[in-house]
Structure formats: C-alpha cells, structure tokens
Amino acid sequence: MKVGAVIITMGNRPDELRALLDSVAKQDGDPVQAVVVGNGSPVPEVPEGVRTVELPENLGIPGGRNVGIEAFGPGGTDVDILLFLDDDGLLAGHDTAELCREAFAADPALGIISFRIADPETGVTQRRHVPRLRASDPMRSSRVTTFLGGANAVRTKVLAEVGGLPDEFFYAHEETDLAWRALDAGWMIDYRSDMVLYHPTTAPSRHAVYHRMVARNRVWLARRNLPAPLVPVYLGVWMLLTLLRRPSRPALKAWFGGFREGWATPCGPRRPMKWRTVWRLTRLGRPPVI
C-alpha cells in the first residue's frame, strides 16, 4: 500500500519541520512520499524529494490539509494511505508506516487510525489526546468515534467516498466532522497506542481564537451531522460542560459569541447521520450527545 504524508506549516518551526521530515524518511518499507503545505507562508528549506505547495493566504487547518490531499491526486487517490502530521511533531518509531499498512490490510472496514501523542521529554500522553471518554489509560488501544488531527492515518478511499475536511471550520472539530461522516458511511476508526507521535505538551487555549472557534464549530458540527432531535441535546450538554469548567469571563464571552455565530452563519451542507449510526456511536462508548 502506497503511503503519503501531509504536513502544513506556518513556516515558523523550520528545525522541528526538518526533524519530522527526517523521521518520515526513516520509515521502514517503501518510501513515504511527503508534501509540505505553506499555509499562507513560504515553506522553509526541505530535503530533496519533498514536494511543497505555498498558499497565498492561511486557509486554516482543514483547508491547508485539503490542499495537501489534492497534491496526491484527486482525493489523494495516487496513494492508499495518507498520514496527517503536525509540523512540530516527530514519529517516534521507524515502523509507523508499516504498522499502518498492516492494520489497513488486515481490516477492510478500518478507515482511520488515530496515533498516540506523547511528550518527547516525559513520555506522558495528555488526557485530551485520547479520543474517547474513558481516557485514563492512554496505553489501551480501542475502537473510537473521532481522531487526532495532527497524528493520524486515513485510508484515501474514505476521502473519495465522504469528502475531505470541512474548509469552513478553519480550526477545531474538523476531525470529528470527518469522523462522523466516515462512520455514517460504514467505516471504523481505531486509536492505536503503539503508533506514537512525539509532540510537546501544550494547551489548546494557547490559540487566541480557541474559545470562539470551539463554540462556533460545535454548533456547525451539530447542524451539519446530527438528526434534528439530537441537535439541542448535544449543544445543551456542551454548554453545561463549558459552564462547569468555569472559564474566565473573557473566555466565556468569546465562547458565547462563537455559539451565536454558529447559529447565524452558514455551516455547509447538512447531511444528518442515520439513526443506526447514532446507535453505533453509542455502542462504541460515545453517543453523539457528548
């Protein structure tokens, strides 16, 4: 199975990007083709053989990754598997690409693999990086209902069938949107603790737009994908969880501003998932109301 890698960059981490590309080049088996997308910025110097695309403006995370997908042909179909990797990450082992090939070959229904993210200094995996509700044991692999955006592998047949990431999201929840569409089409998602991307421990709130984007895109996610009766339940649960976390006043103001924006602005096409998909998500441990 042919493997490609999509990496988007703002051009501000050249050393980390080079280390990541070196880790991609060292993968066992057939070489992994890599494309680096400069998201509104020039691409730093990269090793020979790495393709680059420089965009005149920042299209956001999903927009930039979609451009990277198309660099491998329509819907990425020049390869069988695409790795999506953060530019400040580092593949911990030389066998990640081979493990992906083996996993996809062994399970025809497997569409997406979410890697484990670990801090390179401590080896600790943050709870938020385990894409399931029961996240206390990051070393346990399992079926899941979403995946991590900067540390994953996607079978390109999934993208051909359900489309790419939602450009309009710009940042936050774009992975869950794709995951729900993939699950609705019958694909499965695995979290694999043995496939590791090293990444420094960070807080998502470091992004200035975090609270607004998280709230706006949460509304868009529900409007696009959930059966109508579940939309108010899902959003009500998340509003309650947000209040229970007691964010600062400015953060809460930004969150409610984003929540209003999510209702007042177009969210893209609405394709509510089947009720059998709702049941499937529930059986996997995460009903689509949380």
Side-chain angles (χ1 to χ4, degrees):
M1 302 180 81
K2 295 180 180 178
V3 181
V6 173
I7 301 156
I8 59 174
T9 183
M10 299 292 290
N12 55 350
R13 294 190 281 237
D15 295 339
E16 292 89 340
L17 174 62
R18 184 61 182 251
L20 171 62
L21 290 169
D22 287 346
S23 75
V24 170
K26 292 175 182 175
Q27 292 299 298
D28 299 336
D30 291 340
V32 177
Q33 306 170 48
V35 168
V36 178
V37 178
N39 212 355
S41 67
V43 175
E45 184 178 351
V46 297
E48 185 177 352
V50 175
R51 288 181 287 166
T52 62
V53 180
E54 294 186 353
L55 302 176
E57 61 178 310
N58 183 355
L59 299 182
I61 293 173
R65 287 185 177 141
N66 283 337
V67 169
I69 292 169
E70 295 302 310
F72 289 98
T77 48
D78 290 349
V79 293
D80 303 295
I81 303 165
L82 279 175
L83 311 180
F84 294 91
L85 307 170
D86 277 351
D87 68 342
D88 56 344
L90 182 74
L91 290 173
H94 295 177
D95 61 348
T96 304
E98 279 290 86
L99 289 171
C100 287
R101 292 186 182 101
E102 292 169 5
F104 285 121
D107 186 354
L110 180 61
I112 302 171
I113 299 172
S114 189
F115 302 164
R116 181 167 65 88
I117 294 179
D119 184 271
E121 300 294 332
T122 66
V124 171
T125 296
Q126 292 179 268
R127 189 180 182 91
R128 69 184 181 90
H129 284 152
V130 182
R132 59 177 179 242
L133 292 179
R134 295 185 291 275
S136 59
D137 182 7
M139 302 307 295
R140 179 173 66 87
S141 299
S142 68
R143 293 283 200 201
V144 289
T145 61
T146 188
F147 63 98
L148 306 172
N152 67 79
V154 179
R155 193 192 294 265
T156 53
K157 285 183 180 179
V158 174
L159 302 171
E161 183 173 351
V162 307
L165 297 157
D167 286 345
E168 53 268 70
F169 278 41
F170 197 85
Y171 162 76
H173 302 318
E174 67 273 5
E175 304 91 354
T176 300
D177 186 89
L178 176 57
W180 283 359
R181 285 183 280 125
L183 288 162
D184 198 47
W187 296 99
M188 300 300 292
I189 305 170
D190 278 357
Y191 166 72
R192 288 283 296 266
S193 64
D194 57 334
M195 302 182 190
V196 180
L197 183 86
Y198 285 144
H199 188 282
T201 298
T202 57
S205 55
R206 70 191 185 279
H207 299 291
V209 296
Y210 171 76
H211 295 286
R212 180 175 70 86
M213 291 291 195
V214 162
R216 184 197 69 179
N217 292 0
R218 183 83 67 187
V219 177
W220 282 358
L221 181 67
R223 289 175 59 196
R224 285 164 59 97
N225 294 288
L226 290 181
L230 294 186
V231 173
V233 180
Y234 176 80
L235 296 176
V237 167
W238 277 104
M239 180 180 290
L240 178 61
L241 287 172
T242 299
L243 294 172
L244 289 174
R245 289 169 179 168
R246 302 179 67 181
S248 67
R249 186 179 295 272
L252 195 59
K253 182 179 179 181
W255 192 93
F256 275 106
F259 191 83
R260 287 190 296 270
E261 185 181 349
W263 287 106
T265 54
C267 63
R270 173 168 165 76
R271 299 187 181 95
M273 66 178 65
K274 308 174 192 72
W275 281 104
R276 68 184 180 192
T277 304
V278 173
W279 175 237
R280 194 173 177 203
L281 288 162
T282 303
R283 290 180 61 193
L284 287 169
R286 189 150 196 167
V289 293
I290 189 170

